Structures are given as structure tokens and as C-alpha cells.
């Protein structure tokens, strides 16, 4: 994960949320795609690297955007609620893993394919966030000029 930290830090400081969200979501789609390849050590290694780097991307981007959007009074509460949701979701991993290995055992190496496909679909849904950033930037560019968009979105002007 530490390999990607300078990259995401640089992008968060010098780019728009659109670019950052696209990179974060692409890492998630790549991870889910690699997990669908059966009996491939290189694909599994790639997926593990995507998780390590992608997890840092997600947390860095989330807390950066939360800090930008939330007031100082609510930041701590919202950050705590987000971490609580992550922890609660983590409690589901063991039951989901048991369900996949027991119910889908006849599928063999594809026992986890439904879960991986579901994860990929959920990540694909997250591509709506960069789309909303693009629409917002486009709307602002047509009404206030491109300099306003760059400054308002945190990019260098």
C-alpha cells in the first residue's frame, strides 16, 4: 500500500476529484477482474497488489473529500460513522466466505465468482461519482469559466 501513497497524495493535491475517483474505481475493477481468473498465481498476486494499493487510495480519497465537504463540527462524527460502517461490513466477510465455500462448493474454482462479480458490479456503480464530478465541472465551466472550476475543485489554477 505504501507504494501508491505518494501517487494518490500527489493526485489529491494537484488533480481534480474526477481523475482521482476514476483511478480509485479502476483499481477496484481491476482487482475484481483479476479475482475471476481461475488457477492463476500472477492474477492472484495482481489482485493482492490492487487491494493493498486500492485500499489506501479509497481511504485517502474518502477522508480528503470528507474534509473538503464536511464542516469541522461534523467531520469527526462522519469519519467515525464511516469507520463503523466499514467495521460492520467486515463482520460479514466470514459468513459470506462460509456461504460461498459450502453452498457453491460444486462450482469448484468458481465458488467465489458470484461474490467477485457482485463486487465488480458495485465498483462499476461507483463510476457514477466521477460522472457527477464531470457534470459539475462542465456546468461550472459554462457558467463561470474554467479558472473558477480549477480553483473550486482544488486543482492548481
Amino acid at each position: 500500500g505504501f507504494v501508491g501513497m505518494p501517487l494518490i497524495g500527489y493526485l489529491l493535491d494537484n488533480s481534480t476529484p474526477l481523475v482521482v475517483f476514476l483511478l480509485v474505481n479502476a483499481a477496484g475493477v481491476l482487482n475484481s477482474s483479476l479475482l475471476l481468473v481461475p488457477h492463476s498465481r500472477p492474477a492472484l498476486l495482481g489482485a493482492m497488489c490492487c487491494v493493498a494499493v486500492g485500499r489506501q487510495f479509497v481511504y485517502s480519497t474518502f477522508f480528503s473529500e470528507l474534509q473538503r465537504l464536511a464542516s469541522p463540527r461534523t467531520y469527526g462524527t462522519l469519519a467515525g460513522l464511516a469507520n463503523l460502517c466499514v467495521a460492520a461490513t467486515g463482520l460479514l466477510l466470514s459468513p459470506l466466505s462460509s456461504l460461498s465455500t459450502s453452498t457453491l462448493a460444486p462450482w469448484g474454482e468458481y465458488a467465489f465468482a458470484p461474490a467477485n462479480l457482485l463486487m465488480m458490479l458495485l465498483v462499476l456503480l461507483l463510476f457514477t461519482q466521477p460522472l457527477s464530478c464531470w457534470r459539475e465541472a462542465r456546468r461550472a465551466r459554462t457558467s463561470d469559466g474554467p479558472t473558477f472550476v480549477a480553483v473550486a475543485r482544488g486543482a492548481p489554477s
Side-chain angles (χ1 to χ4, degrees):
F2 67 90
V3 175
M5 289 304 290
L7 172 64
I8 198 67
Y10 176 81
L11 289 174
L12 286 168
D13 287 342
N14 298 299
S15 187
T16 63
L18 172 65
V19 171
V20 176
F21 285 131
L22 286 173
L23 177 67
V24 168
N25 293 342
V29 169
L30 180 61
N31 174 50
S32 296
S33 300
L34 289 171
L35 288 173
L36 291 172
V37 179
H39 301 298
S40 173
R41 287 182 190 257
L44 187 57
L45 180 62
M48 292 169 77
C49 290
C50 283
V51 166
V53 172
R55 187 176 212 131
Q56 296 301 319
F57 284 4
V58 167
Y59 278 108
S60 299
T61 304
F62 174 77
F63 286 110
S64 172
E65 284 296 297
L66 183 62
Q67 180 272 329
R68 188 178 70 78
L69 297 172
S71 74
R73 285 187 57 216
T74 59
Y75 176 81
T77 302
L78 293 173
L81 284 172
N83 281 320
L84 183 64
C85 290
V86 169
T89 304
L91 294 174
L92 296 174
L93 295 179
S94 181
L96 288 175
S97 179
S98 296
L99 179 68
S100 292
T101 55
S102 63
T103 306
L104 302 175
W107 288 26
E109 69 261 14
Y110 296 104
F112 290 98
N116 291 332
L117 282 171
L118 178 63
M119 285 302 297
M120 188 186 316
L121 290 174
L122 290 174
V123 172
L124 287 172
L125 283 175
L126 291 177
F127 276 103
T128 59
Q129 174 61 30
L131 179 63
S132 71
C133 290
W134 175 77
R135 283 185 184 157
E136 179 183 320
R138 186 172 175 208
R139 204 173 304 128
R141 193 171 33 248
T142 58
S143 63
D144 296 323
T147 305
F148 172 76
V149 174
V151 172
R153 299 304 294 169
S157 53

